């Protein structure tokens, strides 16, 4: 019994600390460009990727979805096509007479998956 306790006692911290070695960079500053719009719903900890729509337009596409959430005022380090991320944000309303390449979404956080 004592052997099993020692194995568990030493193995669990090693497993936990090895997971912390993977440094993940989280971004939380994305400007105020969608603040004036009404929030339709929120997204929490969703896997996806950053995609390039044009030279000036970047978006987040959730895994297993055709939806695109428009990004504004994003850091240059996030401007990488097909960059895997975990993101949270507020999806904003689009007026009936508007046409957009991506749904406006005020990002709360983006974490790069390495």
């Amino acid at each position: 019994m004592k052997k099993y306790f020692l194995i568990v006692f030493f193995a669990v911290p090693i497993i936990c600390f090895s997971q912390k070695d993977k440094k993940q960079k989280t971004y939380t500053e994305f400007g105020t460009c969608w603040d004036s719009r009404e929030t339709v719903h929120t997204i929490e900890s969703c896997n996806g990727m950053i995609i390039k729509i044009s030279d000036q337009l970047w978006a987040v596409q959730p895994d297993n979805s055709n939806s695109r959430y428009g990004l504004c005022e994003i850091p240059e380090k996030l401007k990488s096509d097909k960059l895997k991320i975990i993101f949270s944000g507020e999806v904003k309303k689009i007026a009936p007479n508007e046409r957009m390449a991506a749904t406006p979404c005020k990002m709360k956080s983006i974490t790069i998956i390495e």
Side-chain angles (χ1 to χ4, degrees):
M1 181 73 170
K2 197 172 189 181
K3 285 183 189 179
Y4 295 118
F5 174 75
L6 289 175
I7 291 171
V8 171
F9 182 76
F10 288 111
V12 170
I14 291 171
I15 293 168
C16 292
F17 287 122
S18 68
Q19 296 299 320
K20 291 194 177 229
D21 288 342
K22 295 179 180 179
K23 293 183 180 180
Q24 295 181 331
K25 176 70 174 165
T26 299
Y27 296 86
T28 57
E29 299 292 325
F30 299 101
T32 60
C33 57
W34 304 123
D35 283 350
S36 62
R37 292 181 182 257
E38 178 186 341
T39 300
V40 178
H41 69 275
T42 58
I43 300 170
E44 293 293 330
S45 301
C46 183
N47 290 330
M49 71 175 114
I50 294 179
I51 59 172
K52 182 178 181 178
I53 296 175
S54 70
D55 289 337
Q56 302 298 317
L57 184 59
W58 294 84
V60 169
Q61 183 171 17
D63 287 349
N64 303 319
S65 174
N66 289 330
S67 299
R68 298 186 298 195
Y69 299 112
L71 297 172
C72 64
E73 302 175 25
I74 63 170
E76 287 296 320
K77 291 183 179 183
L78 291 177
K79 291 183 179 180
S80 178
D81 198 29
K82 308 278 192 248
L83 181 66
K84 293 285 193 183
I85 60 167
I86 298 172
F87 68 98
S88 296
E90 299 173 347
V91 178
K92 301 296 186 171
K93 186 175 184 174
I94 299 176
N97 61 338
E98 286 182 306
R99 296 295 173 256
M100 299 179 131
T103 303
C105 184
K106 179 175 177 156
M107 291 294 153
K108 294 295 184 184
S109 70
I110 293 179
T111 303
I112 298 172
I113 300 172
E114 293 181 16

